[in-house]
Amino acid sequence: MAVIESSQDIVQSQSPWREAARAFRQSWAGMLGIFILILVILFTFVGPFFYPVDPFEIIWAPLTPPGATERAPLGTDYLGRDILAGLIHGGPATLYVGLVAGIITITIGILVGAFAGFYRGMVDEFLMRITEFFQVLPALLFAMVLVTLFTPTIYVVSLAIGIVSWPTTARLTRAEFLRIRNLEYVNAARSIGAKNRRIIWRVILPNALAPLIVAATLTVGIAILFEAGLSFLGLGDPNMFSWGLMIGAGREYILDGWWVVTLPGFMIFLTVLGFSLVGDGLNDAFNPKLRER
Amino acid sequence: MSENTLLEVQDLKVHFGGKKLFRKAQIVHAVDGVSFSVPKGQTLGIVGESGSGKTTTALAVLRLVPITAGTIRIGDVEISSLEKEDLREARRKVQMVFQDPYSSLDPRRRVGDIVREPLDLMNIGEEEDRDQMVHDLFVQVGLRPELASLFPHQFSGGQRQRIGLARALATKPELIVCDEPVSALDVAVQAQILNLMRKLQEDLGLTYLFISHDLGVVQHLCDHVAVMYLGQIVEQADRISLFSNPQHPYTKALLAAVPKARPRDGTEKRVPLTGDPPSPINLPTGCRFAGRCPVAIEKCHSIAPALKDRGNGHLASCHLLD
Amino acid sequence: MAAILSIKDLVVDFKTRAGNARVLNEISLELESGEILGIVGESGCGKSMTALSIMGLVPSPPGKITNGSISLDGEDLVQASTARMRQVRGGIISMIFQEPMTSLNPVFRVGDQIAECVLLHEDISKADAWARAVEMLTKVGIPEPEIRARAYPHELSGGMRQRVMIAMALSCRPRILIADEPTTALDVTVQAQIFDLLNDLQRETGTAIIMITHDMGAIAELADRVAVMYAGHIIESGKTEDILTNPQHPYTRGLIACVPHLEENPTEDRPYLSEIKGVVPSLTELGKGCAFAPRCPYKTPICEEERPHIEAVDKTHSVACYNVKYVVAV
Ligand SMILES: Nc1ncnc2c1ncn2[C@@H]1O[C@H](COP(=O)(O)OP(=O)(O)OP(=O)(O)O)[C@@H](O)[C@H]1O
Ligand SMILES: Nc1ncnc2c1ncn2[C@@H]1O[C@H](COP(=O)(O)OP(=O)(O)OP(=O)(O)O)[C@@H](O)[C@H]1O
Ligand code: SF4
Ligand code: SF4
Ligand SMILES: [Mg+2]
Ligand SMILES: [Mg+2]
């Protein structure tokens, strides 16, 4: 801890966030995660300029293995569509679902958790009963119902995933709020005339944010897997190319051509790994015990 | 209420718990009928063991815990019946300094902002003068104003407590409630803070409600002392009378238990209290101290003694004094 | 009396982000059998680290004993093997900590924890170990020891838990007991009970006790001799009476003078407390001179040049200060 010991030395001010950023840069896992994510993003967003092939177009014989022809370097799927093009064009949709579902999860989770933890009593009881209701629902089933009720567009899929996965975040937020609301600086804020709204959003939330950010990165990974699961069951958006869709569509041909599902699977694996490594790094960065010296 | 009384608390009760859906209601009688008053510009010390309700009393004075019964008056405002905006407005007159210098400052804000916040929230002074006011507050508590842009974790415990004092002084309060403000500090730092508090009191005419379990500190700082046991005041008197002529058996035991920083001579006989304080959930009938009292009589276990004046305003509650 | 534990020129370094921190700087101490030695000083001065060094528990990395010896009856514990240290800990030297809740395992009955400790060091049957546990609980003044032995730590109050810790520490009849701020977390009335208990046990068993505290009052109450620490150094040591009534180091004087002592007959006259100005220096930024120099009112030029060594001013009293004579004369 950098305590100002003597009054002679002018010390530069170090915001806790900046210290966390410094710690993150020193975290091996976090930096590797960032590196992986950058690779994935470059691959899917810059890839189309170098490899302008339509992933829906049939270009070669079905189930051509990787390396068999120059037209499809990573082979073709059961319709004869280019796998490499699929991998490149499937990225944005997958990342979109991950991020949007992640944001929905975090938003609902924080709102519910914050109010429950801050107001306690009846508000808490009520919100926690709702949270429990969502938690005991079989998530995948519920998402399937939502998606089949509406047309399975990418928005509906993101929303469905977000709606089924917020309870964990809500519980985490609530626990943090319950802890922090008893710290003396919250009472201090109240005694200098701060209103509840200010205490919730400006005093408690910033201090509760560290574990929530870690949870958020993990949520994105989970959402991506969820989307893959839905697509695998044929409940993804059929008009958007995603890695999940590739796996879902190719699942019957896994014995005839391992590459049809393995390659998009590998991309999902990389992305999820990237997000969880970043989550790990953030955890290190925010954990003052590890950061101390 | 006399002319120069600043804080008057009457029959204050704070009970926690109750109303449980599936569990048996367990009511914690944290503060159970406490009355005291503090004259303007003076200091009332509250002493007592852990769990006796000192912090709860302090929080109640600022309306930071729900009050079960009783009235609290600061100046001519009855703060115990105020709500919302009026309460916010009234809080300007009373501020608090907390025990833990590590958890009483928001770790994510610069200390300058922490001290400035009450000025902004309470709309004190002109916007453009506030930086200067923060500067002056820092000087007042003995911190270099250049340090305002740092974060709490960059300060030592004593410095943080100075920041806490600066924040409390920002609204120009008349009453400052101090909940064990020096308990977490080293003795050398404690002396600095105690001197600072005295100096501020002299300069600004502050009134303190000072909570502590350290009798030496209380004797040094306070003009009046109240001794709490299990949510009630068992003895209350001015400083000299209480320490030189303690009346209640609990006060006597408390004073005897304090280690004296001079060599043992082997002649002193100390009868330490046995056992621990009972819980404020299942209160004993009769005198609350009866279970540990070395001189208890039969009556003590059935009838609660009343807090009565034993001469010159020295209050104590014990059957043996009746 | 012979010294059973003697520490010589012990140096402990910690690697930190801000540089090397010399947490203990050429500490020398002697503990005689059957005495109570107090170690006082402000937070961070190295009291706990002294205790951990003796127990062979310096967290490493980042810490390391870089010099000196700790000899127990002539055996150097710094050089001792891990296996040997395990025997020493609990068997010959045992320790109790400040926070009794965190030092007891919450999922086991306290009786089992004491018995376990006995079984670790002695070759006796389980039943005998349990009997010893109950006996120890009786000794530390716990009412209904047979019943309380079956309790879990959270079912006991803070004072009770500290008694259990003491019972556990003494269960193998150690020759040295180190108590690191054993009463800081307790109320005064309970603290007084623990002091009396330690005093009685010490007289009864002859165990030597190292009592670590920041409270001069606790020292006066218990200790035969005192060592005062400042920023990793021992700056004064001697008989309790001498240190309290005739302190010679400027820091010790300041430390004693700044505490508001409880008077039996207070008067209206209340002078301000005397203060030690400034703050404790950071261990990574100690200069080559006396560690107390930046705060010392008696400082002379040599103080900032070279660190004073601790030297005897009489048979039992040692001080690390160049200007003792001047300080005492003032
Ligand atoms: N929010 C709460 N809910 C339930 N019980 C509470 C609450 N706050 C305090 N208590 C209980 O009320 C009693 C009095 O607590 P309080 O904190 O006022 O004691 P204290 O005298 O300040 O003690 P200490 O010296 O340990 O700070 C205790 O038994 C405590 O457990
Ligand atoms: N893991 C560590 N890394 C670096 N420095 C450490 C570590 N543990 C302790 N220290 C430093 O060692 C010094 C001595 O610590 P020690 O715990 O012995 O102090 P103490 O005198 O027992 O204080 P207290 O009264 O607070 O218990 C302190 O300045 C502390 O900052
Ligand atoms: S009333 Fe009885 S039990 Fe209570 S303090 Fe007096 S003598 Fe003791
Ligand atoms: S050596 Fe010098 S600086 Fe150090 S304590 Fe003595 S007089 Fe003060
Ligand atoms: Mg308290
Ligand atoms: Mg320590």
Side-chain angles (χ1 to χ4, degrees), chain A residues 108-140:
Chain A
I108 304 181
I110 286 185
L111 278 173
V112 171
F115 284 119
F118 184 80
Y119 288 105
R120 299 189 297 185
M122 298 307 276
V123 180
D124 187 22
E125 291 266 318
F126 177 70
L127 289 175
M128 279 302 112
R129 286 302 88 75
I130 296 182
T131 310
E132 268 162 26
F133 171 77
F134 276 94
Q135 215 161 20
V136 296
L137 275 185
L140 191 61

Side-chain angles (χ1 to χ4, degrees), chain B residues 25-26 29 49 74 82 116 124 153 165 188 222 231 259 272 310 315:
Chain B
Q26 284 203 322
H29 305 257
E49 283 174 286
I74 294 173
L82 297 182
R116 191 195 159 107
I124 293 167
H153 69 266
L165 268 167
C222 302
R310 313 288 169 179
L315 308 178

Side-chain angles (χ1 to χ4, degrees), chain C residues 293-309:
Chain C
R295 305 171 75 184
C296 182
Y298 304 100
K299 149 179 92 181
T300 47
I302 185 170
C303 302
E304 283 173 333
E305 287 307 313
E306 209 183 316
R307 188 156 296 152
H309 283 281

Side-chain angles (χ1 to χ4, degrees), chain B residues 49-50 186 192 195 198-199 202 219-221 223 239 243-244 260-261 264 270 272-273 275-276 292, chain C residues 42-43 157 187 189 191 193 196 220-222 261 263-265 267-268 270-273 275-276 278:
Chain B
E49 283 174 286
S50 183
D186 270 315
Q192 295 173 354
N195 283 347
R198 276 184 70 177
K199 176 142 190 344
E202 278 167 23
Q219 186 183 66
H220 173 77
L221 195 78
D223 305 297
R239 166 174 171 269
F243 287 105
S244 55
K260 315 286 184 295
R264 283 177 284 181
R270 186 176 64 200
L273 287 183
D276 304 296
R292 297 170 79 197
Chain C
E42 287 179 88
S43 184
S157 68
D187 278 319
T189 56
Q191 170 178 318
Q193 298 167 11
D196 286 353
E221 196 86 4
L222 278 177
H261 293 299
E263 307 280 341
E264 259 162 57
N265 288 302
T267 56
E268 285 296 348
R270 268 188 286 172
Y272 275 67
L273 293 167
E275 279 181 38
I276 307 174

Side-chain angles (χ1 to χ4, degrees), chain A residues 1 67 91 139 194-195 214 220 226 256:
Chain A
M1 221 185 330
K195 297 179 179 154
V214 177
V220 173
F226 216 108
D256 307 306

